[in-house]
Short mmCIF file of all heavy atoms in Angstrom, two decimals:
data_model
loop_
_atom_site.label_atom_id
_atom_site.label_comp_id
_atom_site.label_asym_id
_atom_site.label_seq_id
_atom_site.Cartn_x
_atom_site.Cartn_y
_atom_site.Cartn_z
N ARG A 1 138.18 49.60 1.57
CA ARG A 1 137.32 50.78 1.38
C ARG A 1 138.03 52.05 1.89
O ARG A 1 137.39 53.13 1.82
CB ARG A 1 135.99 50.58 2.06
CG ARG A 1 135.12 49.44 1.51
CD ARG A 1 134.81 49.64 0.04
NE ARG A 1 133.97 50.73 -0.27
CZ ARG A 1 133.96 51.37 -1.45
NH1 ARG A 1 134.76 50.99 -2.43
NH2 ARG A 1 133.17 52.43 -1.64
N ASN A 2 139.23 51.88 2.43
CA ASN A 2 139.98 53.01 2.92
C ASN A 2 139.20 53.84 3.96
O ASN A 2 139.09 55.07 3.90
CB ASN A 2 140.40 53.90 1.71
CG ASN A 2 141.57 54.82 2.10
OD1 ASN A 2 142.24 54.57 3.08
ND2 ASN A 2 141.73 55.90 1.38
N LEU A 3 138.62 53.11 4.93
CA LEU A 3 137.79 53.76 5.94
C LEU A 3 138.65 54.19 7.13
O LEU A 3 139.60 53.49 7.53
CB LEU A 3 136.71 52.76 6.43
CG LEU A 3 135.81 52.13 5.38
CD1 LEU A 3 134.90 51.10 5.99
CD2 LEU A 3 134.97 53.19 4.65
N THR A 4 138.29 55.35 7.73
CA THR A 4 138.97 55.79 8.94
C THR A 4 137.94 56.41 9.88
O THR A 4 136.80 56.61 9.50
CB THR A 4 140.05 56.87 8.62
OG1 THR A 4 139.37 57.94 7.92
CG2 THR A 4 141.18 56.32 7.79
N ASP A 5 138.37 56.73 11.09
CA ASP A 5 137.48 57.45 12.09
C ASP A 5 136.10 56.75 12.14
O ASP A 5 135.08 57.38 11.90
CB ASP A 5 137.30 58.92 11.71
CG ASP A 5 138.62 59.68 11.81
OD1 ASP A 5 139.52 59.25 12.58
OD2 ASP A 5 138.78 60.73 11.11
N LEU A 6 136.13 55.51 12.50
CA LEU A 6 134.88 54.68 12.41
C LEU A 6 134.01 54.93 13.63
O LEU A 6 134.46 55.02 14.78
CB LEU A 6 135.26 53.21 12.40
CG LEU A 6 136.18 52.72 11.26
CD1 LEU A 6 136.52 51.26 11.46
CD2 LEU A 6 135.52 52.96 9.91
N THR A 7 132.68 54.95 13.36
CA THR A 7 131.68 54.72 14.40
C THR A 7 131.19 53.30 14.15
O THR A 7 130.61 53.04 13.08
CB THR A 7 130.52 55.72 14.28
OG1 THR A 7 131.03 57.05 14.42
CG2 THR A 7 129.48 55.49 15.35
N LEU A 8 131.50 52.38 15.05
CA LEU A 8 131.28 50.99 14.84
C LEU A 8 130.00 50.56 15.59
O LEU A 8 129.88 50.78 16.77
CB LEU A 8 132.48 50.20 15.44
CG LEU A 8 132.80 48.81 14.92
CD1 LEU A 8 132.86 48.74 13.44
CD2 LEU A 8 134.15 48.40 15.49
N LEU A 9 129.04 49.97 14.83
CA LEU A 9 127.77 49.54 15.40
C LEU A 9 127.66 48.02 15.25
O LEU A 9 127.76 47.54 14.09
CB LEU A 9 126.57 50.18 14.72
CG LEU A 9 126.26 51.63 14.96
CD1 LEU A 9 127.25 52.54 14.22
CD2 LEU A 9 124.85 51.96 14.44
N GLY A 10 127.48 47.29 16.31
CA GLY A 10 127.40 45.85 16.18
C GLY A 10 126.25 45.28 16.95
O GLY A 10 125.99 45.63 18.10
N ASN A 11 125.51 44.37 16.29
CA ASN A 11 124.41 43.63 16.90
C ASN A 11 124.82 42.18 17.14
O ASN A 11 125.34 41.53 16.24
CB ASN A 11 123.17 43.70 16.04
CG ASN A 11 122.02 42.77 16.52
OD1 ASN A 11 121.60 41.86 15.83
ND2 ASN A 11 121.57 43.00 17.72
N SER A 12 124.59 41.71 18.38
CA SER A 12 124.79 40.27 18.71
C SER A 12 126.23 39.91 18.41
O SER A 12 127.17 40.55 18.93
CB SER A 12 123.80 39.45 17.92
OG SER A 12 123.69 38.18 18.43
N LEU A 13 126.49 38.93 17.58
CA LEU A 13 127.87 38.51 17.24
C LEU A 13 128.65 39.66 16.62
O LEU A 13 129.84 39.79 16.82
CB LEU A 13 127.85 37.33 16.28
CG LEU A 13 129.21 36.79 15.88
CD1 LEU A 13 129.72 35.79 16.94
CD2 LEU A 13 129.19 36.13 14.52
N GLY A 14 127.93 40.55 15.89
CA GLY A 14 128.63 41.71 15.26
C GLY A 14 129.20 42.64 16.30
O GLY A 14 130.20 43.28 16.06
N GLY A 15 128.51 42.77 17.46
CA GLY A 15 129.02 43.59 18.54
C GLY A 15 130.33 42.98 19.09
O GLY A 15 131.28 43.69 19.37
N HIS A 16 130.36 41.66 19.17
CA HIS A 16 131.51 40.95 19.70
C HIS A 16 132.70 41.12 18.74
O HIS A 16 133.83 41.42 19.18
CB HIS A 16 131.12 39.42 19.79
CG HIS A 16 131.93 38.63 20.72
ND1 HIS A 16 131.50 37.39 21.15
CD2 HIS A 16 133.13 38.84 21.27
CE1 HIS A 16 132.43 36.91 21.97
NE2 HIS A 16 133.43 37.76 22.06
N VAL A 17 132.45 40.97 17.45
CA VAL A 17 133.51 41.21 16.44
C VAL A 17 133.99 42.68 16.52
O VAL A 17 135.22 42.95 16.47
CB VAL A 17 132.99 40.88 15.01
CG1 VAL A 17 134.00 41.30 13.95
CG2 VAL A 17 132.68 39.38 14.90
N GLY A 18 133.05 43.55 16.68
CA GLY A 18 133.41 45.00 16.81
C GLY A 18 134.26 45.30 18.02
O GLY A 18 135.21 46.06 17.92
N LEU A 19 133.99 44.62 19.15
CA LEU A 19 134.84 44.81 20.30
C LEU A 19 136.25 44.30 20.04
O LEU A 19 137.22 44.98 20.40
CB LEU A 19 134.19 44.04 21.50
CG LEU A 19 133.00 44.69 22.15
CD1 LEU A 19 132.22 43.72 23.04
CD2 LEU A 19 133.40 45.92 23.01
N LEU A 20 136.40 43.10 19.50
CA LEU A 20 137.71 42.53 19.24
C LEU A 20 138.49 43.43 18.26
O LEU A 20 139.70 43.62 18.42
CB LEU A 20 137.62 41.11 18.71
CG LEU A 20 136.98 40.06 19.65
CD1 LEU A 20 137.01 38.67 18.99
CD2 LEU A 20 137.65 40.02 21.01
N TYR A 21 137.77 43.96 17.26
CA TYR A 21 138.43 44.86 16.30
C TYR A 21 138.90 46.15 17.04
O TYR A 21 140.00 46.65 16.78
CB TYR A 21 137.45 45.23 15.18
CG TYR A 21 138.05 46.22 14.18
CD1 TYR A 21 138.78 45.74 13.09
CD2 TYR A 21 137.93 47.58 14.35
CE1 TYR A 21 139.37 46.62 12.19
CE2 TYR A 21 138.48 48.46 13.43
CZ TYR A 21 139.19 47.99 12.36
OH TYR A 21 139.79 48.88 11.48
N THR A 22 138.06 46.67 17.92
CA THR A 22 138.43 47.89 18.65
C THR A 22 139.64 47.67 19.58
O THR A 22 140.48 48.52 19.68
CB THR A 22 137.21 48.38 19.50
OG1 THR A 22 136.08 48.53 18.62
CG2 THR A 22 137.48 49.69 20.22
N PHE A 23 139.71 46.51 20.21
CA PHE A 23 140.90 46.18 21.03
C PHE A 23 142.14 46.25 20.20
O PHE A 23 143.22 46.71 20.62
CB PHE A 23 140.81 44.83 21.71
CG PHE A 23 139.66 44.62 22.66
CD1 PHE A 23 139.03 43.38 22.83
CD2 PHE A 23 139.19 45.70 23.41
CE1 PHE A 23 138.01 43.21 23.70
CE2 PHE A 23 138.12 45.52 24.32
CZ PHE A 23 137.51 44.28 24.45
N LYS A 24 142.05 45.70 18.95
CA LYS A 24 143.23 45.62 18.07
C LYS A 24 143.58 46.96 17.40
O LYS A 24 144.75 47.20 17.11
CB LYS A 24 142.99 44.58 16.96
CG LYS A 24 143.29 43.14 17.39
CD LYS A 24 143.17 42.18 16.20
CE LYS A 24 144.44 42.15 15.37
NZ LYS A 24 144.37 41.12 14.30
N HIS A 25 142.57 47.74 17.18
CA HIS A 25 142.77 48.99 16.41
C HIS A 25 142.11 50.18 17.10
O HIS A 25 141.19 50.82 16.55
CB HIS A 25 142.17 48.82 14.99
CG HIS A 25 142.73 47.67 14.23
ND1 HIS A 25 143.96 47.73 13.63
CD2 HIS A 25 142.23 46.42 14.02
CE1 HIS A 25 144.18 46.54 13.08
NE2 HIS A 25 143.14 45.74 13.31
N PRO A 26 142.59 50.53 18.31
CA PRO A 26 141.89 51.55 19.06
C PRO A 26 142.00 52.93 18.33
O PRO A 26 141.10 53.78 18.52
CB PRO A 26 142.70 51.63 20.39
CG PRO A 26 143.93 50.88 20.15
CD PRO A 26 143.68 49.91 19.06
N ASP A 27 142.98 53.11 17.48
CA ASP A 27 143.12 54.38 16.76
C ASP A 27 142.06 54.49 15.67
O ASP A 27 141.82 55.62 15.18
CB ASP A 27 144.51 54.43 16.12
CG ASP A 27 144.86 53.18 15.29
OD1 ASP A 27 144.49 52.06 15.74
OD2 ASP A 27 145.42 53.34 14.21
N MET A 28 141.50 53.36 15.20
CA MET A 28 140.53 53.43 14.08
C MET A 28 139.10 53.73 14.53
O MET A 28 138.30 54.20 13.73
CB MET A 28 140.54 52.06 13.33
CG MET A 28 141.84 51.73 12.65
SD MET A 28 142.14 52.80 11.21
CE MET A 28 140.94 52.11 10.07
N VAL A 29 138.79 53.38 15.77
CA VAL A 29 137.41 53.48 16.23
C VAL A 29 137.22 54.69 17.14
O VAL A 29 137.88 54.81 18.16
CB VAL A 29 137.02 52.15 16.98
CG1 VAL A 29 135.59 52.25 17.52
CG2 VAL A 29 137.19 50.96 16.09
N LYS A 30 136.31 55.56 16.74
CA LYS A 30 136.07 56.80 17.49
C LYS A 30 134.84 56.74 18.38
O LYS A 30 134.73 57.47 19.38
CB LYS A 30 135.93 58.00 16.54
CG LYS A 30 137.09 58.21 15.59
CD LYS A 30 138.37 58.51 16.36
CE LYS A 30 139.55 58.77 15.41
NZ LYS A 30 140.82 58.79 16.07
N ARG A 31 133.86 55.87 17.99
CA ARG A 31 132.65 55.70 18.77
C ARG A 31 132.17 54.25 18.56
O ARG A 31 132.43 53.66 17.51
CB ARG A 31 131.55 56.64 18.26
CG ARG A 31 131.84 58.10 18.44
CD ARG A 31 130.74 59.05 17.94
NE ARG A 31 130.61 59.01 16.49
CZ ARG A 31 130.04 60.00 15.76
NH1 ARG A 31 129.55 61.08 16.37
NH2 ARG A 31 129.94 59.90 14.46
N LEU A 32 131.51 53.73 19.59
CA LEU A 32 131.10 52.36 19.58
C LEU A 32 129.62 52.24 20.01
O LEU A 32 129.23 52.85 21.00
CB LEU A 32 132.04 51.59 20.54
CG LEU A 32 131.96 50.06 20.58
CD1 LEU A 32 132.28 49.41 19.25
CD2 LEU A 32 132.96 49.57 21.67
N LEU A 33 128.87 51.42 19.29
CA LEU A 33 127.48 51.14 19.72
C LEU A 33 127.31 49.59 19.76
O LEU A 33 127.61 48.92 18.78
CB LEU A 33 126.47 51.74 18.77
CG LEU A 33 125.04 51.30 19.17
CD1 LEU A 33 124.07 52.48 19.14
CD2 LEU A 33 124.49 50.17 18.27
N LEU A 34 126.86 49.12 20.89
CA LEU A 34 126.59 47.68 21.04
C LEU A 34 125.12 47.50 21.29
O LEU A 34 124.51 48.22 22.13
CB LEU A 34 127.40 47.08 22.20
CG LEU A 34 128.89 47.28 22.17
CD1 LEU A 34 129.51 46.77 23.45
CD2 LEU A 34 129.52 46.54 20.97
N THR A 35 124.48 46.55 20.61
CA THR A 35 123.08 46.25 20.85
C THR A 35 122.97 44.71 20.87
O THR A 35 123.30 44.04 19.92
CB THR A 35 122.17 46.95 19.79
OG1 THR A 35 120.82 46.58 20.10
CG2 THR A 35 122.51 46.59 18.39
N GLY A 36 122.51 44.14 22.01
CA GLY A 36 122.41 42.74 22.18
C GLY A 36 123.71 42.01 21.86
O GLY A 36 123.74 40.91 21.30
N SER A 37 124.84 42.60 22.31
CA SER A 37 126.15 42.06 21.93
C SER A 37 126.49 40.81 22.72
O SER A 37 126.23 40.74 23.92
CB SER A 37 127.22 43.12 22.19
OG SER A 37 128.50 42.59 21.86
N SER A 38 127.11 39.86 22.03
CA SER A 38 127.71 38.73 22.75
C SER A 38 129.11 39.20 23.21
O SER A 38 129.55 40.29 22.90
CB SER A 38 127.75 37.48 21.89
OG SER A 38 128.51 37.72 20.70
N GLY A 39 129.77 38.31 23.96
CA GLY A 39 131.12 38.69 24.46
C GLY A 39 131.26 38.50 25.96
O GLY A 39 132.32 38.27 26.47
#
């Protein structure tokens, strides 16, 4: 989808996936929201 400058929102397992993605691609994620995140 050619996405950049992401605000990543993850619930539960989605928060966990979002965190791992952010560790790998810190340049891609500009803001992060976690709600009921695992991890």
